Amino acid sequence: MSDAIFALVAGYGLWVVAGSAFLSCLLVPVPTALVMLAAGAFAAAGDLSLGQVFLAGWLAALAGDNAGYQLGRWGGRPLVRQIARRTGKRRLIARGRLAVHRYGALGVFFSTWLVAPLGPWVNLISGAMGLSRWRFAVWDTLGETIWVGAYVGLGYGFGTQIDAVSQVVSDWAGLLAALAVAAGFSVALAMKLRRKVRVRG
């Protein structure tokens, strides 16, 4: 996989960076993290400009996120339900809905980088649930700045060891996702118990 990604980035440069970032935000299964790492490595070698790589990935990710948000606004909850039926991703969509319902714009922020697999669903659900466009845009921008900067920066800093870095990042992302989900459930459980205590008191 990494050899194919390297070949694509070497051949098409910023177009691959932008295209993968945009499509991944619209539920297309693209290995964008690996593309960002590869582009960062090429920037370190002097074949691409680091600033241009970051800008291409960042702008495309923002465009994809906002396109997903707008689709949610247009289609509303019926669209989300239809996608859930067709993709079989009901559990993932439920997690995205919970993130937006409980945490609002902060859910958007963390879904862009801390729990990135949830991000495209949160974009869609944020629009469908009527989250403020400006709150979505601000927190999404902050989150994507972290996400794109982290992956491109890792590729730039460890370009000669890109295979090892991609494996570590993959494991790290999975760990962070698990920890984030566990933390969310813990907070929800604590709030529920607190409400019960208040009712009894």
Side-chain angles (χ1 to χ4, degrees):
M1 173 68 83
S2 59
D3 290 341
I5 296 299
F6 260 72
L8 282 172
V9 175
Y12 300 99
L14 299 179
W15 290 106
V16 174
V17 174
S20 66
F22 181 80
L23 292 174
S24 67
C25 295
L26 292 173
L27 306 174
V28 179
V30 181
T32 309
L34 191 52
V35 170
M36 296 289 179
L37 288 170
F42 277 107
D47 297 316
L48 293 173
S49 162
L50 180 62
Q52 289 177 355
V53 168
F54 172 81
L55 196 61
W58 184 67
L59 289 175
L62 293 180
D65 286 345
N66 282 276
Y69 172 89
Q70 189 59 48
L71 284 173
R73 293 278 285 205
W74 285 335
R77 300 189 185 197
L79 175 63
V80 175
R81 286 194 294 269
Q82 184 178 10
I83 291 175
R85 284 195 301 271
R86 291 190 175 184
T87 62
K89 302 289 187 180
R90 290 183 175 84
R91 185 173 296 180
L92 200 58
I93 290 172
R95 285 171 55 195
R97 188 179 290 113
L98 180 66
V100 176
H101 178 71
R102 287 192 181 277
Y103 308 111
L106 277 177
V108 173
F109 172 69
F110 288 117
S111 74
T112 57
W113 62 278
L114 185 60
V115 199
L118 205 58
W121 301 102
V122 168
N123 299 337
L124 190 68
I125 291 164
S126 295
M129 292 179 66
L131 183 70
S132 164
R133 184 183 302 275
W134 287 109
R135 290 182 66 205
F136 175 86
V138 168
W139 288 98
D140 179 66
T141 299
L142 292 174
E144 289 295 4
T145 301
I146 294 172
W147 189 86
V148 175
Y151 279 99
V152 172
L154 281 171
Y156 187 84
F158 299 94
T160 57
Q161 300 150 328
I162 199 71
D163 286 330
V165 171
S166 64
Q167 184 60 48
V168 170
V169 166
S170 176
D171 295 341
W172 172 76
L175 175 62
L176 282 180
L179 289 174
V181 171
F185 280 122
S186 298
V187 170
L189 180 60
M191 292 175 66
K192 189 173 183 179
L193 290 173
R194 183 177 295 179
R195 283 197 296 269
K196 284 185 177 180
V197 169
R198 287 178 180 173
V199 170
R200 289 176 182 175

